[in-house]
């Protein structure tokens, strides 16, 4: 069956450091992979999408990599700030009109 | 611009009572529509998705049902709630080309 694993339920880092979150998937052949941010009591908000033919994508302090051989995506936040504290969700998606299934997420806490 | 409305924001219902949660989308046509649930400390669980009026796909067998009476309206229902139905219910939409999902603000349901 398809499986999405995000490393550690919680990750604590010092302000100013780079946070790295991992998303591993099995039994998927994703055409693309999405990352979302979820704050407590709110719905997830889309951050970045990376396609299977892209190795890396950047948006301001965010960087996503996608390795289809390792079946893994890494999500980096550079110069992290306390405002970056949230749960981050990954969602690989096969081609076609299939629904989006999410990993359980990693709760990031950036400590001042 | 597109907006998604979900209501109510919070709901407390006794076991065995019926449920109706409503979600509407504005500013777009023929969206894909989704219902997700997030139990306390758990990940996002896909419940139902719809690619068109009257077309509902169920991901998890349970005492919930969904309907799409109009193009931009998605309703989640139950005839008799169980304690295990408590959770955070999120409605989401995406364009037909499977661009990222846009979530509503969610409904916090507590079954007592």
């Amino acid at each position: 069956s398809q499986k999405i694993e995000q490393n550690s339920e919680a990750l604590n880092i010092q302000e100013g450091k780079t946070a790295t979150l991992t998303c591993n998937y099995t039994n998927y052949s994703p055409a693309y992979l999405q990352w979302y941010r979820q704050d407590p009591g709110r719905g997830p908000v889309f951050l970045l999408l990376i396609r299977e033919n892209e190795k890396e994508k950047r948006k301001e302090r965010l960087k996503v990599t996608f390795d289809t051989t390792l079946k893994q995506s890494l999500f980096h936040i550079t110069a992290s700030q306390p405002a970056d504290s949230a749960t981050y969700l990954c969602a690989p998606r096969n081609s076609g009109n299939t629904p989006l299934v999410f990993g359980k997420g990693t709760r990031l806490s950036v400590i001042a | 611009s597109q907006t998604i409305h979900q209501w109510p924001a919070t709901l407390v219902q006794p076991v065995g009572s019926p449920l109706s949660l409503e979600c509407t989308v504005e500013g777009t046509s023929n969206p894909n529509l989704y219902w997700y649930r997030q139990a306390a400390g758990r990940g996002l669980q896909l419940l139902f998705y719809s690619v068109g009026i009257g077309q509902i796909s169920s991901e998890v067998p349970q005492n919930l049902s969904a309907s799409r009476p109009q193009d931009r309206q998605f309703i989640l229902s139950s005839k008799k709630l169980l304690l295990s139905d408590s959770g955070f219910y999120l409605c989401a939409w995406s364009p037909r080309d499977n661009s990222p999902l846009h979530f509503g603000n969610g409904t916090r349901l507590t079954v007592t």
Side-chain angles (χ1 to χ4, degrees), chain A residues 9 32 34 36 38 40-46 49 89 93-105, chain B residues 32 34 36 38 41-44 46 49 51 59 88 90 94 96-106 108:
Chain A
E9 289 188 11
Y32 52 92
Q34 300 178 20
Y36 290 74
Q38 186 177 22
R42 306 296 297 271
V45 174
F46 169 74
L49 179 153
L89 307 165
R93 195 171 202 176
N94 295 333
S95 58
N97 203 7
T98 56
L100 203 60
V101 178
F102 291 83
K104 290 186 177 179
Chain B
N32 287 347
Y34 308 83
Y36 290 86
Q38 195 169 36
R42 306 280 299 275
L44 275 173
L46 177 65
Y49 71 99
V51 298
E59 291 296 303
F88 189 44
L90 287 157
S94 72
R96 286 308 180 89
D97 65 355
N98 293 322
S99 296
L101 265 61
H102 306 272
F103 285 85
N105 287 327
R108 175 77 56 192

Side-chain angles (χ1 to χ4, degrees), chain B residues 5 18 27 31 40 45 48 50 53 56 63 74 87 89 100-102 105-106:
Chain B
H5 302 280
Q45 179 187 32
F48 301 95
S50 171
I53 295 174
I56 310 293
N63 68 322
F74 206 23
Y89 288 80
L101 265 61
H102 306 272
N105 287 327

Side-chain angles (χ1 to χ4, degrees), chain B residues 1 6-8 15 24 28 33 45 54 66 69 83 88 99 105 108:
Chain B
S1 64
Q6 189 181 342
W7 67 93
V15 168
T24 59
T28 187
L33 296 172
Q45 179 187 32
L83 285 174
F88 189 44
S99 296
N105 287 327
R108 175 77 56 192

